[in-house]
Amino acid sequence: MVNQMKKNIAIFASGTGSNFQAVAKACQEGIINAWVSLLVCDQPEALVISKAKKLKIEPFVFTVKDYQNKEAYEEAILAQLKGNHVDFVVLAGYMRLVGSTLLEAYPNKIVNIHPSLLPEFPGMNSIKRAFESGVGETGITVHYVDSGIDTGPIIAQRAVRIDENDTLESLEEKMHQVEHELYVEVLKGLCEDKEDEC
Ligand code: GRF
């Protein structure tokens, strides 16, 4: 049965925010049956903040060093999520491991996008490491988030060929394009198919 209720999403991002923008626009255009009520960002200078403002999405920007520990800043995030009635969390280039405070508050309701075909190339600089390793293809993974580094259950993957004449820059560009398409497709599915998913 299609769930007619729009889901309320928070997107967590630390950087440029191209995935944030793709997902937020798809929600605003009605492609994904959800609305983005909040950006959570740990980098006050990140470009994603101005993207959020342009799309009229409220940013919650924090600095880790203002808090005693991970539990304290995650409690502050959680207060924002609860205050905005968020029921699903989308990580889009959020450069921190999600801790138990948030994982326990949102079980199976936090997803991430990673630029490799997991379990290959988890962690940082995945596109560069795949490119330099000489493999013929890499790809994109969307997965649920658990306490590990890019280890949660995989929801969807899409391969991206590395052509002989690709440079790191051209590969990165192809990868980002595929990320934007795949993340929108996956979130569209999660928000429409089953009431208990998104
Ligand atoms: C993306 O490659 C995503 O897969 C990874 O971080 C990058 C974020 O890019 N987790 P952007 O800020 O969405 O442009």
Side-chain angles (χ1 to χ4, degrees), residues 12-105:
F12 288 29
S14 306
T16 309
S18 69
N19 283 281
F20 166 86
Q21 185 167 273
V23 170
K25 279 190 168 169
C27 291
Q28 292 185 352
E29 289 164 6
I31 296 165
I32 300 172
N33 188 34
W35 66 292
V36 180
S37 61
L38 190 67
L39 163 71
V40 173
C41 180
D42 61 332
Q43 300 294 332
E45 306 299 326
L47 289 175
V48 67
I49 297 167
S50 57
K51 291 188 168 83
K53 287 180 181 162
K54 271 191 196 142
L55 292 169
K56 309 241 179 306
I57 293 168
E58 185 188 329
F60 170 61
V61 182
F62 69 99
T63 305
V64 164
K65 63 174 165 44
D66 291 342
Y67 296 88
Q68 273 197 330
N69 52 34
K70 190 180 196 85
E71 193 186 336
Y73 76 71
E74 288 205 338
E75 285 293 350
I77 295 173
L78 190 54
Q80 292 287 326
L81 298 180
K82 295 294 177 197
N84 283 280
H85 308 288
V86 167
D87 40 37
F88 200 78
V89 172
V90 171
L91 307 187
Y94 179 63
M95 301 304 283
R96 298 194 175 275
L97 264 187
V98 177
S100 55
T101 303
L102 292 174
L103 288 172
E104 283 164 20

Side-chain angles (χ1 to χ4, degrees), residues 15-20 92-95 112-115 127 176 179-180:
T16 309
S18 69
N19 283 281
F20 166 86
Y94 179 63
M95 301 304 283
N112 181 42
I113 189 160
H114 182 77
I127 305 177
H176 289 312
E179 284 189 325
H180 303 160

